[in-house]
Amino acid sequence: MNVTRNPEADWVIRAAGQTGIPERALRAYVAAAVTVNATAPTCGIGWNTVAAVGSVETAHGTYGGGSLTAAGQVSRPVVGPVLDGAGFAAIADTDGGALDGDTRWDRAVGPMQFIPSTWQLVGRDGNGDGTADPFNIDDAALSAATYLCAHGRDLTTADGWTDAIYAYNQSDVYIRQVRDEATAYAANAGTAANAGTAG
């Protein structure tokens, strides 16, 4: 009996082991990069950039001891600190507490840490279930890749890549952390067919 091998699936399993990225998260990051590059081919975002943002933001949804389910949901809500101006920007509530449970201030949510007002603008359904859910890694990764590629950015250039990451989080330290993670992921994992490492 012949068993058909799936090179993409084999690469994800191997790359997850080489990078320490949970396999479920890595599948979402690769799918997000492939999908966005198909709709915005001038962006050139790499799976490793999406993965690096996920790593720095919430350790791929595992921050605080959580994990990702087989369906890509976080096992426990991932909610960032209160954005009340004490060490972070002050952002008054924009969602009535629907996503972050806070009716006074906003808090970033999900494995890619979207502020509720940003999620309302860029939230995408990455798993095809008809709902854009910031607590689902497929949806969050696709939304992050879409956001990073917005405004015609070209992430294959140093300036375009830096501008994209700066738009996500306006911190030089953050940009360096994401750059270091993205570089390490690409070096450790190699390239998946159709996934690329640019950007």
Side-chain angles (χ1 to χ4, degrees), residues 99-123:
L99 294 176
D100 58 15
D102 191 327
T103 58
R104 184 167 180 207
W105 301 101
D106 266 351
R107 300 169 69 162
V109 297
M112 302 303 279
Q113 289 290 278
F114 277 95
I115 296 168
S117 59
T118 304
W119 183 259
Q120 290 170 1
L121 295 173
V122 301

Side-chain angles (χ1 to χ4, degrees), residues 76-146:
R76 52 199 278 177
V78 181
V79 180
V82 176
L83 299 177
D84 61 359
F88 300 96
I91 303 176
D93 175 62
T94 61
D95 70 333
L99 294 176
D100 58 15
D102 191 327
T103 58
R104 184 167 180 207
W105 301 101
D106 266 351
R107 300 169 69 162
V109 297
M112 302 303 279
Q113 289 290 278
F114 277 95
I115 296 168
S117 59
T118 304
W119 183 259
Q120 290 170 1
L121 295 173
V122 301
R124 300 288 186 271
D125 176 12
N127 61 5
D129 69 355
T131 302
D133 179 0
F135 295 100
N136 178 277
I137 191 64
D138 297 311
D139 296 357
L142 178 59
S143 301
T146 300

